Amino acid sequence: MAFASKKEDETGLSSYYNNKTTVIQEARVFNDTPVSPRKCRALLTRIVYLLYIGETFGTQEATTLFFGTTKLFQNKDSALRQAVYLAIKELATTAEDVIMVTSSIMKDMQANSDVIYRPNAIRALCRIIDPSMAQGVERFFKAAIVDRNPSISSAALVSAYHLFPFAKDVVKRWVNEAQEAVNAKPASSYFGSSSGGGGGYLGFGGGSSQPSGPQVIQSTSSVAQYHALGLLYLIRQQDRMAVTKMIQQLGGGKSGGGTTLKNPMALCMLIRYAAKVIEEDPNVQRQMVELLEGWLRHKSDMVNFEAARAICEMKHVQPGQLTKSIAVLQLFLSSPKPVLKFAATRTLAALALTHPQSVAACNVDLEALIADPNRSVATYAITTLLKTGNEASVDRLIKQITGFMTEISDEFKVIIVDAVRSLCLKFPSKHSSMLSFLSGVLRDEGGYDFKRAVVEAIFDMIKFIGDSKEQALSHLCEFIEDCEFTKLSVRILHLLGIEGPKSPQPAKYIRFIYNRVVLENATVRAAAVTSLAKFGANSAEATLKRSVTVLLRRCLDDVDDEVRDRAALYLKVFGEKPLADAYVKEESVFSLAALEAKLVAYVKDPAAAAQPLDTSSVPKISRAQAAQEAARPSTLDTIGAPIAKSVTPVPQAPSAAETQSAYAQQLAEVPEFTDYGAVLNSSATPAQLTESETEYQVTCVKHIFKEHIVFQYNVSNTLPDTVLEQLSVIMTPQDEESGLVEDFIIPLPSLSSVTSPGIVYVSFTREDPTKYSIGSFGCTLKFISKELDPTTQEPEEEGYEDEYQLEEVELSAGGDYIIPSYATFGSEWDRMRSGPNATETFLLGAMDSLKAACESIVEVLNMEPLGGSEIPASDSVHTLQLSGLATGGGGKVLARCRMTYSRGSGVTIELGVRAEKQEIVDLVVSAIA
């Protein structure tokens, strides 16, 4: 097909020529007598082109075109037949009754067929056949896989790869043929078909009875090995030992020279499989690393690089193991090929995050690349130098970066900025030059991602480098004067509201903030009003507060409702300190997941509608914690790291509130618990009652209701040839006066290794719901064990009763009755001065440090440590501040632990507890006692 000329494109002829309707109308050429191969090839090319650019054909249209092309099967033109198979393969997914052409395709893929389009027929058949027909064509595919013609072998291997998800059992039987294809030697001749009777050069001069025309030129690249290796791994991927053996057999020993693999792509694939095996099984790391180091000396640059990268990306790799791979990458840095330089600098940039000292050996070569004409190479070179350089080289590097920032794309600018951010945290004394660099690039042209990266870098400098705060805030104020991104303006205004009132001269920021009220859109104006209010509420200067009040009154006439409402709210709270503390100075917010669970339970409970929603039982978290939950995934440890390989993202663990919500939904489905009401609290993490290596594994989750406690036992059976029936857990209180009476046990009828885990419930009634029952319970798992018949997999009729002793289950204050909740300790401690309280002194002789004592107390009480007090600043004296929320309407509880440490006597603690109920105070004291 000839591409449309520029003139045709301008006049719209090309769009008409490649129009779906036009193509369908012109499909009449398939019915012409005689058939014109040239016209048919052109039309088939246009059909494939339309499918390629995303055009969709309806089922009827696709079916009409599909069966129109099948009429060309009788034509002897080889090029036309290749185009027919290409079109059939693409249309097969949409058209109906495509299976009808199976016999015609199979005729062209016979082993004695020596036509150029035999590989095309094999690929088309893969798309046409039903998975149930795979067994019927098995012998054709087996013969094609071991064919001496590499194009036929590759077509069969790739088709088998695509058939595997639908016909696993059939394709697995082709493993011997795939192994033979891996070990096959490349064809010795460049020309002609090796299947026999192909004739002489390009099919001319021979005595073949096959149709005349161009014959295939066999490839000498051994690409069939690459496809065969992919199929072998697909078949064996669930058997790690088989994969390891395959790698060792094909690896060629320590030198890598004995391998039968001649194709570089196949070797690269084998290296990736080796890297995956190392990640999954560290025990074979030594043997695999020896193979990887052997491949570092291969004649192909592609293989050298892949082996070097695999070593650099290994988990817990030692500096000694990196020497050879870094030497190979260093050679690539001086290569005349830009792609090798780019690959090497990119890999070294990632490695510099974890092993900067090892990469520092390449610094001289990397500095030579700063002026490389390929700016992508230069960017990664400078990024690596920023991570490996010393403090003395910072100013020189920053000067060199500034020169080419305008010449690179935003994507690489972000990498540079992130590297500078990590550098300024590494060398805080150089913050001035780096802040000047960041403020300079902030004024340059760029997209949102680039500007956000610069703003994030300045935010981190404000947070971690105190000396840079004033200068950084000034640069941000200048930026929002001409900022085109609403999100960034809002974030900067929020930061100014937090940090501005703490500065020596807070008044100088007011002008910049109020300018936003005058000049910006409604979203930014609302954020500016909130920022102004924080200056008024948090500043000790009366004149500043009066000025802010005047500015907020002007905002009452704003055209936007949100701006007016915020201004009115803040003007109101300025006059009343309790309101100002709650709405402006409050450092905590509700945990959104916990609040959502509370609202869902409130909406679902018809009886709750008579009372207003009680938010006192919803735990709070600090604003820093809330920001951390919503933060972007990158951290200071990983900034600037290129994505070296595609990995499956690890899902984040559910939060405590999300776990609670899931448990509540699970319990609501058990009919016996429908009258128990809402779940007040569930264990955040299940208690392990067995060792992880035992044949039966049991964990326990405790659910606290208003008048009941339910113990949920998650039981797993790891024995594949045994089934357990009538499972129950017998609980025995260690204290007769525990205040709990057992109601019933919901046993598990049957449990096998396939159906594991299963759940056994044990319910208790609280004799006095106002008291917080604590104590230990002995637990025994009882069941009937039955062997499985190895042939039928059915359990035997007769079994035997057995029991399994579990660890004790404890009901305690922390985790069962108290949940962490953030609070402003100073004001809350003073507010609860007149309420229930207690002060006790304890000696913890077993503790060898204040840090160990803090960790133990936080773990026992399960309360939120405040203000970073969980980390002692001194080795001898410390005060730990804790806040929590008691379940069942128990209200807030605060604890203050003043502690001293002396060698020999351990840690002495003065525990002060204040709560809204005396029962909670006694509960906390007894937990420590």
Side-chain angles (χ1 to χ4, degrees), residues 109-111 118-119 122-123 137-157 159 174 177 181 224:
M109 61 175 285
Q110 297 289 337
R118 185 178 166 197
I122 294 171
R123 288 190 171 94
V137 297
E138 183 175 5
R139 65 186 182 89
F140 295 105
F141 276 101
K142 280 186 173 183
I145 287 173
V146 296
D147 197 283
R148 291 184 61 196
N149 189 323
S151 61
I152 294 172
S153 179
S154 289
L157 289 164
S159 298
W174 306 349
E177 285 74 17

PDB file of all heavy atoms in Angstrom, residues 109-111 118-119 122-123 137-157 159 174 177 181 224:
ATOM      1  N   MET A 109      -0.501 -25.543   6.689  1.00  0.00           N
ATOM      2  CA  MET A 109       0.533 -25.702   7.715  1.00  0.00           C
ATOM      3  C   MET A 109       1.004 -27.150   7.824  1.00  0.00           C
ATOM      4  O   MET A 109       1.633 -27.543   8.797  1.00  0.00           O
ATOM      5  CB  MET A 109       0.056 -25.201   9.078  1.00  0.00           C
ATOM      6  CG  MET A 109      -1.146 -25.906   9.661  1.00  0.00           C
ATOM      7  SD  MET A 109      -1.525 -25.328  11.326  1.00  0.00           S
ATOM      8  CE  MET A 109      -0.227 -26.126  12.266  1.00  0.00           C
ATOM      9  N   GLN A 110       0.701 -27.968   6.818  1.00  0.00           N
ATOM     10  CA  GLN A 110       1.176 -29.348   6.804  1.00  0.00           C
ATOM     11  C   GLN A 110       2.704 -29.367   6.763  1.00  0.00           C
ATOM     12  O   GLN A 110       3.352 -28.472   6.214  1.00  0.00           O
ATOM     13  CB  GLN A 110       0.624 -30.079   5.578  1.00  0.00           C
ATOM     14  CG  GLN A 110      -0.883 -30.214   5.546  1.00  0.00           C
ATOM     15  CD  GLN A 110      -1.406 -31.196   6.580  1.00  0.00           C
ATOM     16  OE1 GLN A 110      -0.685 -32.067   7.022  1.00  0.00           O
ATOM     17  NE2 GLN A 110      -2.657 -31.029   6.961  1.00  0.00           N
ATOM     18  N   ALA A 111       3.281 -30.425   7.312  1.00  0.00           N
ATOM     19  CA  ALA A 111       4.742 -30.522   7.386  1.00  0.00           C
ATOM     20  C   ALA A 111       5.385 -30.594   6.007  1.00  0.00           C
ATOM     21  O   ALA A 111       6.517 -30.159   5.811  1.00  0.00           O
ATOM     22  CB  ALA A 111       5.124 -31.738   8.215  1.00  0.00           C
ATOM     23  N   ARG A 118       3.511 -20.529   5.393  1.00  0.00           N
ATOM     24  CA  ARG A 118       3.213 -21.533   6.411  1.00  0.00           C
ATOM     25  C   ARG A 118       3.290 -20.960   7.831  1.00  0.00           C
ATOM     26  O   ARG A 118       2.414 -21.230   8.662  1.00  0.00           O
ATOM     27  CB  ARG A 118       4.180 -22.715   6.261  1.00  0.00           C
ATOM     28  CG  ARG A 118       3.858 -23.864   7.213  1.00  0.00           C
ATOM     29  CD  ARG A 118       4.813 -25.026   7.003  1.00  0.00           C
ATOM     30  NE  ARG A 118       4.719 -25.962   8.101  1.00  0.00           N
ATOM     31  CZ  ARG A 118       5.616 -26.884   8.392  1.00  0.00           C
ATOM     32  NH1 ARG A 118       6.703 -26.978   7.636  1.00  0.00           N
ATOM     33  NH2 ARG A 118       5.451 -27.702   9.404  1.00  0.00           N
ATOM     34  N   PRO A 119       4.295 -20.131   8.175  1.00  0.00           N
ATOM     35  CA  PRO A 119       4.291 -19.516   9.519  1.00  0.00           C
ATOM     36  C   PRO A 119       3.054 -18.648   9.766  1.00  0.00           C
ATOM     37  O   PRO A 119       2.509 -18.629  10.876  1.00  0.00           O
ATOM     38  CB  PRO A 119       5.569 -18.672   9.538  1.00  0.00           C
ATOM     39  CG  PRO A 119       6.436 -19.264   8.486  1.00  0.00           C
ATOM     40  CD  PRO A 119       5.510 -19.784   7.437  1.00  0.00           C
ATOM     41  N   ILE A 122       0.166 -20.837  10.724  1.00  0.00           N
ATOM     42  CA  ILE A 122       0.265 -21.324  12.111  1.00  0.00           C
ATOM     43  C   ILE A 122      -0.221 -20.250  13.087  1.00  0.00           C
ATOM     44  O   ILE A 122      -0.980 -20.530  14.015  1.00  0.00           O
ATOM     45  CB  ILE A 122       1.721 -21.728  12.420  1.00  0.00           C
ATOM     46  CG1 ILE A 122       2.119 -22.936  11.567  1.00  0.00           C
ATOM     47  CG2 ILE A 122       1.893 -22.029  13.907  1.00  0.00           C
ATOM     48  CD1 ILE A 122       3.598 -23.272  11.627  1.00  0.00           C
ATOM     49  N   ARG A 123       0.198 -19.004  12.865  1.00  0.00           N
ATOM     50  CA  ARG A 123      -0.214 -17.910  13.769  1.00  0.00           C
ATOM     51  C   ARG A 123      -1.721 -17.673  13.685  1.00  0.00           C
ATOM     52  O   ARG A 123      -2.372 -17.382  14.689  1.00  0.00           O
ATOM     53  CB  ARG A 123       0.541 -16.629  13.416  1.00  0.00           C
ATOM     54  CG  ARG A 123       2.006 -16.648  13.806  1.00  0.00           C
ATOM     55  CD  ARG A 123       2.619 -15.262  13.654  1.00  0.00           C
ATOM     56  NE  ARG A 123       3.950 -15.215  14.206  1.00  0.00           N
ATOM     57  CZ  ARG A 123       5.069 -15.416  13.501  1.00  0.00           C
ATOM     58  NH1 ARG A 123       4.978 -15.702  12.213  1.00  0.00           N
ATOM     59  NH2 ARG A 123       6.249 -15.339  14.073  1.00  0.00           N
ATOM     60  N   VAL A 137      -4.980 -30.503  17.113  1.00  0.00           N
ATOM     61  CA  VAL A 137      -3.915 -29.939  16.274  1.00  0.00           C
ATOM     62  C   VAL A 137      -2.545 -30.107  16.921  1.00  0.00           C
ATOM     63  O   VAL A 137      -1.558 -29.526  16.463  1.00  0.00           O
ATOM     64  CB  VAL A 137      -4.177 -28.431  15.995  1.00  0.00           C
ATOM     65  CG1 VAL A 137      -5.467 -28.259  15.219  1.00  0.00           C
ATOM     66  CG2 VAL A 137      -4.221 -27.633  17.295  1.00  0.00           C
ATOM     67  N   GLU A 138      -2.498 -30.913  17.979  1.00  0.00           N
ATOM     68  CA  GLU A 138      -1.260 -31.051  18.739  1.00  0.00           C
ATOM     69  C   GLU A 138      -0.105 -31.531  17.868  1.00  0.00           C
ATOM     70  O   GLU A 138       1.004 -30.994  17.927  1.00  0.00           O
ATOM     71  CB  GLU A 138      -1.487 -32.013  19.908  1.00  0.00           C
ATOM     72  CG  GLU A 138      -0.268 -32.178  20.819  1.00  0.00           C
ATOM     73  CD  GLU A 138      -0.582 -33.035  22.035  1.00  0.00           C
ATOM     74  OE1 GLU A 138      -1.703 -33.565  22.128  1.00  0.00           O
ATOM     75  OE2 GLU A 138       0.312 -33.170  22.881  1.00  0.00           O
ATOM     76  N   ARG A 139      -0.353 -32.538  17.024  1.00  0.00           N
ATOM     77  CA  ARG A 139       0.746 -33.106  16.232  1.00  0.00           C
ATOM     78  C   ARG A 139       1.294 -32.098  15.223  1.00  0.00           C
ATOM     79  O   ARG A 139       2.496 -32.092  14.919  1.00  0.00           O
ATOM     80  CB  ARG A 139       0.295 -34.379  15.528  1.00  0.00           C
ATOM     81  CG  ARG A 139      -0.784 -34.213  14.486  1.00  0.00           C
ATOM     82  CD  ARG A 139      -1.248 -35.572  13.964  1.00  0.00           C
ATOM     83  NE  ARG A 139      -2.266 -35.422  12.930  1.00  0.00           N
ATOM     84  CZ  ARG A 139      -1.996 -35.308  11.640  1.00  0.00           C
ATOM     85  NH1 ARG A 139      -0.730 -35.338  11.229  1.00  0.00           N
ATOM     86  NH2 ARG A 139      -2.970 -35.179  10.749  1.00  0.00           N
ATOM     87  N   PHE A 140       0.415 -31.217  14.709  1.00  0.00           N
ATOM     88  CA  PHE A 140       0.888 -30.187  13.771  1.00  0.00           C
ATOM     89  C   PHE A 140       1.836 -29.215  14.475  1.00  0.00           C
ATOM     90  O   PHE A 140       2.876 -28.850  13.948  1.00  0.00           O
ATOM     91  CB  PHE A 140      -0.293 -29.425  13.178  1.00  0.00           C
ATOM     92  CG  PHE A 140      -1.194 -30.270  12.321  1.00  0.00           C
ATOM     93  CD1 PHE A 140      -2.434 -30.684  12.771  1.00  0.00           C
ATOM     94  CD2 PHE A 140      -0.793 -30.661  11.048  1.00  0.00           C
ATOM     95  CE1 PHE A 140      -3.261 -31.462  11.986  1.00  0.00           C
ATOM     96  CE2 PHE A 140      -1.620 -31.437  10.241  1.00  0.00           C
ATOM     97  CZ  PHE A 140      -2.862 -31.849  10.722  1.00  0.00           C
ATOM     98  N   PHE A 141       1.436 -28.793  15.690  1.00  0.00           N
ATOM     99  CA  PHE A 141       2.265 -27.837  16.432  1.00  0.00           C
ATOM    100  C   PHE A 141       3.575 -28.478  16.872  1.00  0.00           C
ATOM    101  O   PHE A 141       4.639 -27.842  16.829  1.00  0.00           O
ATOM    102  CB  PHE A 141       1.501 -27.307  17.646  1.00  0.00           C
ATOM    103  CG  PHE A 141       0.600 -26.154  17.333  1.00  0.00           C
ATOM    104  CD1 PHE A 141      -0.765 -26.317  17.182  1.00  0.00           C
ATOM    105  CD2 PHE A 141       1.126 -24.884  17.169  1.00  0.00           C
ATOM    106  CE1 PHE A 141      -1.589 -25.252  16.881  1.00  0.00           C
ATOM    107  CE2 PHE A 141       0.309 -23.800  16.878  1.00  0.00           C
ATOM    108  CZ  PHE A 141      -1.057 -23.987  16.722  1.00  0.00           C
ATOM    109  N   LYS A 142       3.530 -29.740  17.298  1.00  0.00           N
ATOM    110  CA  LYS A 142       4.762 -30.414  17.711  1.00  0.00           C
ATOM    111  C   LYS A 142       5.753 -30.491  16.560  1.00  0.00           C
ATOM    112  O   LYS A 142       6.957 -30.245  16.722  1.00  0.00           O
ATOM    113  CB  LYS A 142       4.438 -31.817  18.224  1.00  0.00           C
ATOM    114  CG  LYS A 142       3.926 -31.865  19.662  1.00  0.00           C
ATOM    115  CD  LYS A 142       3.788 -33.317  20.112  1.00  0.00           C
ATOM    116  CE  LYS A 142       3.445 -33.396  21.591  1.00  0.00           C
ATOM    117  NZ  LYS A 142       3.371 -34.786  22.071  1.00  0.00           N
ATOM    118  N   ALA A 143       5.233 -30.827  15.373  1.00  0.00           N
ATOM    119  CA  ALA A 143       6.105 -30.915  14.199  1.00  0.00           C
ATOM    120  C   ALA A 143       6.664 -29.546  13.828  1.00  0.00           C
ATOM    121  O   ALA A 143       7.834 -29.423  13.444  1.00  0.00           O
ATOM    122  CB  ALA A 143       5.335 -31.522  13.027  1.00  0.00           C
ATOM    123  N   ALA A 144       5.827 -28.522  13.950  1.00  0.00           N
ATOM    124  CA  ALA A 144       6.271 -27.174  13.570  1.00  0.00           C
ATOM    125  C   ALA A 144       7.312 -26.632  14.546  1.00  0.00           C
ATOM    126  O   ALA A 144       8.240 -25.916  14.149  1.00  0.00           O
ATOM    127  CB  ALA A 144       5.068 -26.236  13.508  1.00  0.00           C
ATOM    128  N   ILE A 145       7.186 -26.961  15.848  1.00  0.00           N
ATOM    129  CA  ILE A 145       8.127 -26.446  16.851  1.00  0.00           C
ATOM    130  C   ILE A 145       9.550 -26.916  16.560  1.00  0.00           C
ATOM    131  O   ILE A 145      10.515 -26.166  16.732  1.00  0.00           O
ATOM    132  CB  ILE A 145       7.678 -26.868  18.269  1.00  0.00           C
ATOM    133  CG1 ILE A 145       6.443 -26.062  18.700  1.00  0.00           C
ATOM    134  CG2 ILE A 145       8.805 -26.657  19.287  1.00  0.00           C
ATOM    135  CD1 ILE A 145       5.827 -26.522  20.012  1.00  0.00           C
ATOM    136  N   VAL A 146       9.698 -28.168  16.092  1.00  0.00           N
ATOM    137  CA  VAL A 146      11.035 -28.711  15.847  1.00  0.00           C
ATOM    138  C   VAL A 146      11.449 -28.584  14.375  1.00  0.00           C
ATOM    139  O   VAL A 146      12.456 -29.164  13.973  1.00  0.00           O
ATOM    140  CB  VAL A 146      11.100 -30.197  16.287  1.00  0.00           C
ATOM    141  CG1 VAL A 146      10.899 -30.312  17.776  1.00  0.00           C
ATOM    142  CG2 VAL A 146      10.072 -31.042  15.551  1.00  0.00           C
ATOM    143  N   ASP A 147      10.682 -27.848  13.589  1.00  0.00           N
ATOM    144  CA  ASP A 147      11.027 -27.655  12.183  1.00  0.00           C
ATOM    145  C   ASP A 147      12.364 -26.928  12.067  1.00  0.00           C
ATOM    146  O   ASP A 147      12.688 -26.040  12.864  1.00  0.00           O
ATOM    147  CB  ASP A 147       9.937 -26.837  11.489  1.00  0.00           C
ATOM    148  CG  ASP A 147      10.020 -26.946   9.975  1.00  0.00           C
ATOM    149  OD1 ASP A 147      10.907 -26.294   9.391  1.00  0.00           O
ATOM    150  OD2 ASP A 147       9.222 -27.689   9.392  1.00  0.00           O
ATOM    151  N   ARG A 148      13.158 -27.294  11.058  1.00  0.00           N
ATOM    152  CA  ARG A 148      14.488 -26.679  10.895  1.00  0.00           C
ATOM    153  C   ARG A 148      14.393 -25.248  10.391  1.00  0.00           C
ATOM    154  O   ARG A 148      15.363 -24.498  10.443  1.00  0.00           O
ATOM    155  CB  ARG A 148      15.337 -27.528   9.951  1.00  0.00           C
ATOM    156  CG  ARG A 148      15.727 -28.874  10.566  1.00  0.00           C
ATOM    157  CD  ARG A 148      16.642 -29.633   9.638  1.00  0.00           C
ATOM    158  NE  ARG A 148      17.880 -28.898   9.393  1.00  0.00           N
ATOM    159  CZ  ARG A 148      18.725 -29.155   8.404  1.00  0.00           C
ATOM    160  NH1 ARG A 148      18.450 -30.135   7.555  1.00  0.00           N
ATOM    161  NH2 ARG A 148      19.830 -28.461   8.250  1.00  0.00           N
ATOM    162  N   ASN A 149      13.261 -24.879   9.851  1.00  0.00           N
ATOM    163  CA  ASN A 149      13.068 -23.504   9.395  1.00  0.00           C
ATOM    164  C   ASN A 149      12.739 -22.638  10.616  1.00  0.00           C
ATOM    165  O   ASN A 149      11.704 -22.814  11.247  1.00  0.00           O
ATOM    166  CB  ASN A 149      11.926 -23.455   8.385  1.00  0.00           C
ATOM    167  CG  ASN A 149      11.821 -22.095   7.709  1.00  0.00           C
ATOM    168  OD1 ASN A 149      12.036 -21.075   8.351  1.00  0.00           O
ATOM    169  ND2 ASN A 149      11.491 -22.106   6.435  1.00  0.00           N
ATOM    170  N   PRO A 150      13.586 -21.687  10.975  1.00  0.00           N
ATOM    171  CA  PRO A 150      13.374 -20.922  12.221  1.00  0.00           C
ATOM    172  C   PRO A 150      12.085 -20.101  12.221  1.00  0.00           C
ATOM    173  O   PRO A 150      11.498 -19.894  13.274  1.00  0.00           O
ATOM    174  CB  PRO A 150      14.606 -20.026  12.317  1.00  0.00           C
ATOM    175  CG  PRO A 150      15.194 -20.006  10.949  1.00  0.00           C
ATOM    176  CD  PRO A 150      14.833 -21.291  10.310  1.00  0.00           C
ATOM    177  N   SER A 151      11.638 -19.632  11.063  1.00  0.00           N
ATOM    178  CA  SER A 151      10.408 -18.830  11.051  1.00  0.00           C
ATOM    179  C   SER A 151       9.198 -19.692  11.391  1.00  0.00           C
ATOM    180  O   SER A 151       8.266 -19.244  12.079  1.00  0.00           O
ATOM    181  CB  SER A 151      10.224 -18.158   9.691  1.00  0.00           C
ATOM    182  OG  SER A 151      10.121 -19.134   8.670  1.00  0.00           O
ATOM    183  N   ILE A 152       9.205 -20.948  10.937  1.00  0.00           N
ATOM    184  CA  ILE A 152       8.103 -21.860  11.252  1.00  0.00           C
ATOM    185  C   ILE A 152       8.151 -22.241  12.720  1.00  0.00           C
ATOM    186  O   ILE A 152       7.127 -22.241  13.418  1.00  0.00           O
ATOM    187  CB  ILE A 152       8.182 -23.120  10.344  1.00  0.00           C
ATOM    188  CG1 ILE A 152       7.940 -22.724   8.882  1.00  0.00           C
ATOM    189  CG2 ILE A 152       7.181 -24.177  10.793  1.00  0.00           C
ATOM    190  CD1 ILE A 152       8.188 -23.842   7.900  1.00  0.00           C
ATOM    191  N   SER A 153       9.344 -22.552  13.206  1.00  0.00           N
ATOM    192  CA  SER A 153       9.505 -22.906  14.620  1.00  0.00           C
ATOM    193  C   SER A 153       9.070 -21.764  15.526  1.00  0.00           C
ATOM    194  O   SER A 153       8.343 -21.956  16.508  1.00  0.00           O
ATOM    195  CB  SER A 153      10.963 -23.280  14.884  1.00  0.00           C
ATOM    196  OG  SER A 153      11.141 -23.611  16.241  1.00  0.00           O
ATOM    197  N   SER A 154       9.478 -20.536  15.195  1.00  0.00           N
ATOM    198  CA  SER A 154       9.098 -19.368  16.006  1.00  0.00           C
ATOM    199  C   SER A 154       7.599 -19.150  16.005  1.00  0.00           C
ATOM    200  O   SER A 154       6.997 -18.852  17.044  1.00  0.00           O
ATOM    201  CB  SER A 154       9.803 -18.111  15.486  1.00  0.00           C
ATOM    202  OG  SER A 154      11.167 -18.150  15.783  1.00  0.00           O
ATOM    203  N   ALA A 155       6.973 -19.307  14.824  1.00  0.00           N
ATOM    204  CA  ALA A 155       5.522 -19.115  14.743  1.00  0.00           C
ATOM    205  C   ALA A 155       4.792 -20.119  15.627  1.00  0.00           C
ATOM    206  O   ALA A 155       3.844 -19.770  16.348  1.00  0.00           O
ATOM    207  CB  ALA A 155       5.059 -19.249  13.297  1.00  0.00           C
ATOM    208  N   ALA A 156       5.245 -21.382  15.625  1.00  0.00           N
ATOM    209  CA  ALA A 156       4.602 -22.405  16.445  1.00  0.00           C
ATOM    210  C   ALA A 156       4.823 -22.141  17.930  1.00  0.00           C
ATOM    211  O   ALA A 156       3.906 -22.305  18.748  1.00  0.00           O
ATOM    212  CB  ALA A 156       5.145 -23.777  16.057  1.00  0.00           C
ATOM    213  N   LEU A 157       6.025 -21.721  18.299  1.00  0.00           N
ATOM    214  CA  LEU A 157       6.332 -21.453  19.711  1.00  0.00           C
ATOM    215  C   LEU A 157       5.518 -20.280  20.246  1.00  0.00           C
ATOM    216  O   LEU A 157       4.974 -20.330  21.352  1.00  0.00           O
ATOM    217  CB  LEU A 157       7.831 -21.185  19.863  1.00  0.00           C
ATOM    218  CG  LEU A 157       8.756 -22.408  19.691  1.00  0.00           C
ATOM    219  CD1 LEU A 157      10.183 -21.972  19.464  1.00  0.00           C
ATOM    220  CD2 LEU A 157       8.657 -23.303  20.919  1.00  0.00           C
ATOM    221  N   SER A 159       2.692 -19.187  19.045  1.00  0.00           N
ATOM    222  CA  SER A 159       1.287 -19.611  19.091  1.00  0.00           C
ATOM    223  C   SER A 159       1.023 -20.466  20.323  1.00  0.00           C
ATOM    224  O   SER A 159      -0.013 -20.322  20.980  1.00  0.00           O
ATOM    225  CB  SER A 159       0.939 -20.398  17.824  1.00  0.00           C
ATOM    226  OG  SER A 159       1.098 -19.593  16.671  1.00  0.00           O
ATOM    227  N   TRP A 174       4.150 -30.353  25.296  1.00  0.00           N
ATOM    228  CA  TRP A 174       5.077 -29.972  24.239  1.00  0.00           C
ATOM    229  C   TRP A 174       6.446 -29.585  24.800  1.00  0.00           C
ATOM    230  O   TRP A 174       7.265 -28.989  24.095  1.00  0.00           O
ATOM    231  CB  TRP A 174       4.513 -28.808  23.421  1.00  0.00           C
ATOM    232  CG  TRP A 174       3.143 -29.059  22.865  1.00  0.00           C
ATOM    233  CD1 TRP A 174       2.476 -30.263  22.833  1.00  0.00           C
ATOM    234  CD2 TRP A 174       2.259 -28.113  22.267  1.00  0.00           C
ATOM    235  NE1 TRP A 174       1.230 -30.112  22.259  1.00  0.00           N
ATOM    236  CE2 TRP A 174       1.064 -28.791  21.899  1.00  0.00           C
ATOM    237  CE3 TRP A 174       2.337 -26.754  21.998  1.00  0.00           C
ATOM    238  CZ2 TRP A 174      -0.008 -28.168  21.295  1.00  0.00           C
ATOM    239  CZ3 TRP A 174       1.277 -26.119  21.379  1.00  0.00           C
ATOM    240  CH2 TRP A 174       0.105 -26.826  21.035  1.00  0.00           C
ATOM    241  N   GLU A 177       9.565 -30.890  22.893  1.00  0.00           N
ATOM    242  CA  GLU A 177       9.794 -30.185  21.627  1.00  0.00           C
ATOM    243  C   GLU A 177      10.372 -28.793  21.872  1.00  0.00           C
ATOM    244  O   GLU A 177      11.271 -28.344  21.134  1.00  0.00           O
ATOM    245  CB  GLU A 177       8.494 -30.083  20.828  1.00  0.00           C
ATOM    246  CG  GLU A 177       8.042 -31.367  20.158  1.00  0.00           C
ATOM    247  CD  GLU A 177       7.471 -32.396  21.135  1.00  0.00           C
ATOM    248  OE1 GLU A 177       7.117 -32.001  22.283  1.00  0.00           O
ATOM    249  OE2 GLU A 177       7.381 -33.575  20.779  1.00  0.00           O
ATOM    250  N   ALA A 181      13.907 -27.241  20.642  1.00  0.00           N
ATOM    251  CA  ALA A 181      14.040 -25.965  19.914  1.00  0.00           C
ATOM    252  C   ALA A 181      15.063 -25.054  20.590  1.00  0.00           C
ATOM    253  O   ALA A 181      15.783 -24.309  19.915  1.00  0.00           O
ATOM    254  CB  ALA A 181      12.679 -25.272  19.833  1.00  0.00           C
ATOM    255  N   ALA A 224      14.401 -18.346  17.428  1.00  0.00           N
ATOM    256  CA  ALA A 224      13.510 -19.403  17.912  1.00  0.00           C
ATOM    257  C   ALA A 224      13.901 -19.839  19.325  1.00  0.00           C
ATOM    258  O   ALA A 224      13.056 -20.277  20.105  1.00  0.00           O
ATOM    259  CB  ALA A 224      13.541 -20.595  16.957  1.00  0.00           C
TER     260      ALA A 224
END
